[in-house]
Every structure is written in structure tokens, then in C-alpha cells.
Amino acid sequence: MNVLIVLGGDAPGRVLLESCARQADLIIAADRGMEAFADTTVKPDLLLGDMDSVSEALLARMQADTQIERLPCEKDDTDGVHALDVAIARGAEQITLLGALGGRMDHALANLMLLVRANRRGVKAQVLSESVRIARVDGYALLHGAKGDTVSLLPLGCAAGVTLRGFHYPLENHDLTSDYPLGVSNVVDQDEAGVEVASGDLLLFHHYAGI
């Protein structure tokens, strides 16, 4: 099952939101992420959060067609963590996160950690915006049709045994650590490029051509 989660960071544009929604079997809005749906034809199946950032007018308009789960304001997890866990509990196999970036940097980093959380539970996940796709490399990742695009590879902690093929700056069985951003701003220079990692949490930032 393909699940779309919209978080409360920088809102996705209408085109991206509607495109992702067409591919989704379940659509979840997390708190202020509901605002992204205001001027679209898309309605989430579930809105969850403490609702401290959702306008009452929009909430009233959406609640007729949207299941609402109110969460306490004081809790250990974030609305994003809760949304991810709900998606997984309902059978998600692939999760796309929109609105995960922008705003407070700590919130953006916390949302990127959701990619690791999903992987730990056997679920593929990605963060999308109009300019970048971010995913955790699960052993091996292959990029097609990305020649000329900028790609950064950054570890959370240590990513051991990283090998890059088809990039301007190749690597061979190299350990990337969070105290030295060696993997930032590489460029795909072949029609097909591969990223391999032996162990650890390695995040791939694929910036689309022209960005």
C-alpha cells in the first residue's frame, strides 16, 4: 500500500500534492499539513495531531469527509512520528512525505529521521519537494536518467563501505562519518549511477536538474 503523509513544514505546491495523491491508497495530514489541501481538490483520509496549528475554519470544512484523530499537546512523539506509525500499522509498504522540509531546522532533521524509522520497520520511505528527493539508501540504490543532477550522500552517524559508481567523484568502500561531509554535492555523470553502502544510515539527497 502506498501512503502519502503531508507534514507541517513548507507546504508542497498543488501540482506535486495532487500528483502524489493520485498514487496514494491512503492520505494522512499531520496537523498543520492540513493547510496544504486548502486550495486543492484533494482531501486527506485522516487528519491527526493536537490541532494547535490548524485553522478552525479549515477544520470545520474538512471534517465532514476526513477522519480526525486528536493527539495530546504534551507527548513523547511528534505528529510526524505518529503519522508514520499509523501508516505502517495500516499496512504501508511505501510512504511519501511532503511538507517535511523548511521552517525550523530541528523539525526538518526530525522529519528526515522518519526515513530511518520506516526502514527499521521494513517500509520504504522518501521525502519529496519540488526540488529534491531524499531517501535512506537500503544497501543499494540505482539512479536512472539523472545525468547532470546533483546528489549529496550524508550519513546519520557512520555509513560504512560506501561505493559510488557513475558519479564525477567516485568512492570505493569508503566510510562516511557525520564529522566530515565528504559526500556533499556530487554530480551524476553517467546514464546510470549506483550507490552501495555496507551498513549504517546513509541519506541520499537527489536534487533535480537545474536546481
Side-chain angles (χ1 to χ4, degrees):
M1 181 169 70
N2 192 341
V3 178
L4 172 62
I5 298 175
V6 182
L7 303 173
D10 285 353
R14 179 172 181 166
V15 172
L16 178 60
L17 176 59
E18 292 182 348
S19 174
C20 291
R22 284 193 294 270
Q23 303 172 52
D25 303 298
L26 174 67
I27 302 173
I28 300 174
D31 206 77
R32 196 164 67 93
M34 188 69 170
E35 302 286 342
F37 296 86
D39 298 318
T40 74
T41 59
V42 181
K43 290 187 178 180
D45 301 297
L46 171 65
L47 166 63
L48 56 82
D50 53 31
M51 309 305 169
D52 62 346
S53 303
V54 181
S55 73
E56 290 297 327
L58 180 60
L59 188 59
R61 178 156 62 90
M62 291 289 189
Q63 63 185 0
D65 302 305
T66 300
Q67 179 187 351
I68 297 176
E69 181 181 347
R70 289 185 179 270
L71 304 177
C73 293
E74 295 186 5
K75 53 188 181 297
D76 292 331
D77 60 356
T78 64
D79 293 334
V81 168
H82 193 82
L84 187 87
D85 288 352
V86 167
I88 293 172
R90 294 193 180 192
E93 298 169 302
Q94 172 73 50
I95 297 174
T96 294
L97 298 157
L98 301 181
L101 306 175
R104 282 174 48 176
M105 191 176 296
D106 52 342
H107 285 180
L109 180 57
N111 290 335
L112 293 182
M113 292 168 67
L114 298 178
L115 300 175
V116 176
R117 185 174 181 82
N119 177 266
R120 295 284 193 275
R121 287 151 181 79
V123 177
K124 295 180 179 179
Q126 61 179 352
V127 166
L128 288 184
S129 75
E130 279 77 10
S131 62
V132 66
R133 174 183 178 270
I134 308 168
R136 180 190 180 277
V137 180
D138 189 13
Y140 187 75
L142 193 61
L143 301 179
H144 295 282
K147 189 174 182 178
D149 291 356
T150 297
V151 172
S152 290
L153 294 151
L154 300 176
L156 294 176
C158 176
V162 177
T163 297
L164 304 182
R165 302 271 190 256
F167 288 86
H168 182 71
Y169 301 104
L171 281 180
E172 185 69 42
N173 196 32
H174 190 88
D175 294 348
L176 294 179
T177 57
S178 57
D179 64 344
Y180 185 58
L182 178 67
V184 74
S185 291
N186 209 331
V187 178
V188 178
D189 63 5
Q190 301 294 326
D191 293 329
E192 183 175 283
V195 179
E196 184 175 358
V197 58
S199 64
D201 296 311
L202 182 65
L203 297 185
L204 184 152
F205 297 73
H206 179 184
H207 298 271
Y208 309 131
I211 300 301

